Amino acid sequence: MQSALSLSFSQSSLPLANRPFCSSNAAPSFTPRNLRFCGLRREAFGFSPSKQLTSCRFQIQNRRIEISASAGNGAPSKSFDYDLIIIGAGVGGHGAALHAVEKGLKTAIIEGDVVGGTCVNRGCVPSKALLAVSGRMRELQNEHHMKAFGLQVSAAGYDRQGVADHASNLATKIRNNLTNSMKALGVDILTGFGAVLGPQKVKYGDNIITGKDIIIATGSVPFVPKGIEVDGKTVITSDHALKLESVPDWIAIVGSGYIGLEFSDVYTALGSEVTFIEALDQLMPGFDPEISKLAQRVLINPRKIDYHTGVFASKITPAKDGKPVMIELIDAKTKEPKDTLEVDAALIATGRAPFTNGLGLENINVATQRGFIPVDERMRVIDGNGKLVPHLYCIGDANGKLMLAHAASAQGISVVEQVTGTDHVLNHLSIPAACFTHPEISMVGLTEPQAREKAEKEGFKVSIAKTSFKANTKALAENEGEGLAKMIYRPDNGEILGVHIFGLHAADLIHEASNAIALGTRIQEIKLAVHAHPTLSEVVDELFKAAKVDSPASVTAQSVKVAV
């Protein structure tokens, strides 16, 4: 729904200080400007008081203020039920739906399970609740750390069910928040398993609806390799582990990526011994090698963790009849038997697989590739003949470009920009990632080996800048000086190629670098930015300042730190 209101006035009728966009040094003049206001009450524009405006625009033109406001879910194109149909109400679908309503699109979102998808219900949200507990337990258990503060703490303990309830309650709260946010904006939440029937046509349950554009956002499920029998009790995936139905004395974790590392942090803090089983020759594959080496020294070696690298878990049998979980290991290269482990439990953390079965892709001649739906750089779905399927998009884990919840949301927003007339291509190298261990690991852009490979192909030089948390006042005040920040960049033009951080609140610190990459900001410009002192943000500030760039800064502002 759209409404408009125009107000006329003369320039002389306004006090000088109140004249919009007026210069006190020149004759008053009005330049067309757009101001966006969100959350304004509908009553202000003559609407019924039952809902709020989702957005409005004030445009000053020829001495008139023209106000246009969109209220709730828009009206669809005449030939369709909806402007946009989203299949999957996870974080990606939710982000797309909210942006679509803001853009005035009548939007429906279809969910066959529960709103929030993997992230909210079985992933990043409940896992952060468990990690919050593990962080506090780890600190309370560290007698040396507490004594450094002059604190004396008796032996720390925990209630397993209380910890599990904290994770479950957080997931419920966030799920309700997501649901309510869409309902408040008028998004139609449709319950049922969604599938594409044909061009611009979707079925859910026994219902068929049409949409001008369709987004597939069905996410992923835990990947379980062949030979592994999951019983949900002693051999589990992350879905089961987040319920924390038990804390085993000894648990094997298959995979040492993000999921495996975070759960090792949780289990060791709660008293378990952990054994990593990793197919590659080193732990933490995918991280920058230098960061991995430091992280292993801090997160693995001092804790009750051992590991087997270069091996596959070819067979895992759940515990039963009084026997422990049996894990048969084979050499990852030769496939020869290596060892057999007997443990209390095994967590399968070997990544995730796209959830794309049963979506009706055959109706539009789309064939998945290793389960992923093929898309171009604008998330447009590609059919079996290599042609774009009109008005069909796929975002998030289902397309495999970058399996992160916030990447799915960013892709969804990018698609909405496109269907509303603005060409937009998301730079995936600007999307940060984080591992919420204690301390945390974060990264954006290329690793050092990736950057050097790119430099060799394209003919430019690579430089490295580093800074330590040991030089940061705030980190030392927290007695958390263990950490490193590393930047890979081009010295010829100041382009940031990648930033990697290991240390206190690394997940929060990475965004200045990710935004710089997204906006194309060069080091010689961002190194002049102001950072409050003393804060952890100065770790990144010193990282930028440590870089040596040939090109001078394009601005002349002086860098100043503000002491508080």
Side-chain angles (χ1 to χ4, degrees):
M1 180 186 296
Q2 292 285 333
S3 181
L5 171 68
S6 294
L7 302 177
S8 299
F9 58 88
S10 65
Q11 292 181 16
S12 60
S13 66
L14 291 174
L16 183 61
N18 293 332
R19 295 179 191 173
F21 315 115
C22 237
S23 169
S24 59
N25 298 322
S29 62
F30 287 86
T31 304
R33 306 282 182 99
N34 278 332
L35 298 179
R36 299 184 62 188
F37 298 80
C38 294
L40 294 180
R41 298 293 301 179
R42 291 164 61 93
E43 300 95 298
F45 302 97
F47 297 106
S48 65
S50 60
K51 292 184 178 180
Q52 285 188 326
L53 291 173
T54 58
S55 65
C56 67
R57 290 183 182 275
F58 281 55
Q59 181 158 327
I60 300 174
Q61 181 87 27
N62 298 327
R63 302 186 184 181
R64 294 173 65 86
I65 299 179
E66 298 179 353
I67 305 174
S68 62
S70 62
N73 212 353
S77 305
K78 291 182 180 180
S79 55
F80 298 99
D81 297 318
Y82 293 94
D83 293 314
L84 180 65
I85 299 172
I86 303 166
I87 303 175
V91 172
H94 174 266
L98 264 58
H99 195 56
V101 172
E102 180 186 345
K103 289 287 190 175
L105 302 182
K106 183 170 177 58
T107 304
I109 193 164
I110 301 171
E111 178 55 58
D113 188 14
V114 288
V115 170
T118 294
C119 175
V120 172
N121 299 288
R122 301 173 299 278
C124 33
V125 169
S127 67
K128 298 304 133 346
L130 296 183
L131 284 159
V133 173
S134 73
R136 283 162 176 76
M137 279 294 294
R138 202 170 292 286
E139 186 172 21
L140 292 172
Q141 291 169 342
N142 190 334
E143 185 178 353
H144 176 75
H145 178 79
M146 300 307 289
K147 280 186 176 180
F149 289 121
L151 299 176
Q152 296 179 353
V153 180
S154 58
Y158 68 91
D159 170 42
R160 182 199 58 77
Q161 189 58 53
V163 176
D165 289 345
H166 174 53
S168 176
N169 292 339
L170 178 63
T172 299
K173 183 175 183 178
I174 301 302
R175 180 171 63 248
N176 291 339
N177 288 348
L178 263 63
T179 303
N180 293 336
S181 66
M182 290 191 290
K183 287 182 177 179
L185 294 178
V187 175
D188 288 348
I189 303 175
L190 309 177
T191 302
F193 189 90
V196 180
L197 283 184
Q200 300 171 294
K201 186 181 295 185
V202 171
K203 179 180 181 180
Y204 70 99
D206 296 326
N207 307 288
I208 297 175
I209 54 176
T210 59
K212 185 174 183 297
D213 292 287
I214 298 169
I215 296 177
I216 296 173
T218 48
S220 63
V221 294
F223 171 69
V224 179
K226 293 180 180 179
I228 297 177
E229 181 184 346
V230 174
D231 67 347
K233 298 295 182 181
T234 59
V235 180
I236 59 178
T237 67
S238 57
D239 286 1
H240 308 108
L242 289 167
K243 299 176 183 178
L244 201 70
E245 293 181 345
S246 67
V247 179
D249 292 335
W250 183 10
I251 183 169
I253 299 180
V254 183
S256 63
Y258 294 87
I259 299 172
L261 276 178
E262 290 187 352
F263 275 107
S264 76
D265 196 288
V266 171
Y267 281 120
T268 54
L270 298 182
S272 300
E273 294 184 22
V274 170
T275 296
F276 273 120
I277 299 172
E278 174 57 54
L280 297 182
D281 292 332
Q282 71 284 332
L283 294 176
M284 292 175 276
F287 295 88
D288 183 86
E290 186 172 8
I291 296 295
S292 293
K293 184 177 180 180
L294 175 59
Q296 181 173 335
R297 183 169 64 81
V298 177
L299 300 177
I300 305 294
N301 297 346
R303 300 178 182 177
K304 293 181 179 180
I305 300 176
D306 65 353
Y307 52 88
H308 300 264
T309 57
V311 294
F312 286 128
S314 61
K315 184 178 181 180
I316 300 182
T317 306
K320 56 185 175 181
D321 300 329
K323 296 180 180 179
V325 174
M326 303 292 294
I327 304 176
E328 298 180 13
L329 302 180
I330 62 173
D331 188 280
K333 296 177 182 177
T334 67
K335 305 300 185 292
E336 294 292 325
K338 289 278 292 185
D339 202 353
T340 299
L341 302 179
E342 296 182 359
V343 297
D344 298 311
L347 168 63
I348 313 306
T350 47
R352 300 188 63 83
F355 183 70
T356 53
N357 291 332
L359 291 178
L361 299 177
E362 65 280 1
N363 297 328
I364 46 175
N365 190 33
V366 172
T368 60
Q369 300 173 357
R370 295 181 297 110
F372 295 105
I373 297 175
V375 297
D376 69 356
E377 72 278 5
R378 290 174 173 81
M379 309 304 128
R380 297 176 294 189
V381 174
I382 301 171
D383 69 14
N385 298 320
K387 297 180 179 179
L388 296 175
V389 180
H391 304 286
L392 183 63
Y393 303 81
C394 178
I395 64 172
D397 289 4
N399 70 32
K401 281 187 172 290
L402 188 57
M403 299 178 79
L404 296 168
H406 50 280
S409 182
Q411 290 172 1
I413 291 170
S414 177
V415 168
V416 171
E417 286 292 304
Q418 294 168 57
V419 301
T420 53
T422 303
D423 188 33
H424 186 272
V425 176
L426 180 64
N427 177 10
H428 285 80
L429 285 176
S430 72
I431 298 177
C435 186
F436 293 85
T437 47
H438 297 90
E440 296 172 344
I441 309 172
S442 64
M443 64 220 72
V444 65
L446 304 175
T447 64
E448 183 176 344
Q450 290 171 339
R452 294 199 181 281
E453 181 180 356
K454 179 181 174 67
E456 185 176 351
K457 288 180 180 179
E458 299 181 11
F460 61 84
K461 292 183 178 180
V462 167
S463 290
I464 307 294
K466 301 176 189 177
T467 186
S468 171
F469 278 67
K470 288 183 173 69
N472 181 265
T473 302
K474 185 63 161 55
L476 294 177
E478 298 282 351
N479 200 21
E480 296 283 357
E482 194 73 72
L484 171 73
K486 173 181 179 178
M487 179 170 63
I488 305 119
Y489 67 98
R490 289 183 58 165
D492 59 336
N493 61 12
E495 179 185 358
I496 301 172
L497 300 175
V499 174
H500 305 264
I501 306 175
F502 173 67
L504 183 65
H505 295 302
D508 301 310
L509 296 177
I510 196 65
H511 297 94
E512 187 171 4
S514 66
N515 289 337
I517 294 175
L519 298 173
T521 307
R522 300 302 167 112
I523 295 170
Q524 55 269 44
E525 297 169 337
I526 199 170
K527 72 188 325 183
L528 301 179
V530 179
H531 295 74
H533 175 78
T535 63
L536 291 172
S537 71
E538 291 175 289
V539 170
V540 183
D541 181 31
E542 294 301 330
L543 186 64
F544 294 140
K545 286 178 169 55
K548 307 298 181 184
V549 181
D550 299 336
S551 303
S554 59
V555 292
T556 58
Q558 184 176 2
S559 177
V560 179
K561 291 179 182 176
V562 181
V564 179

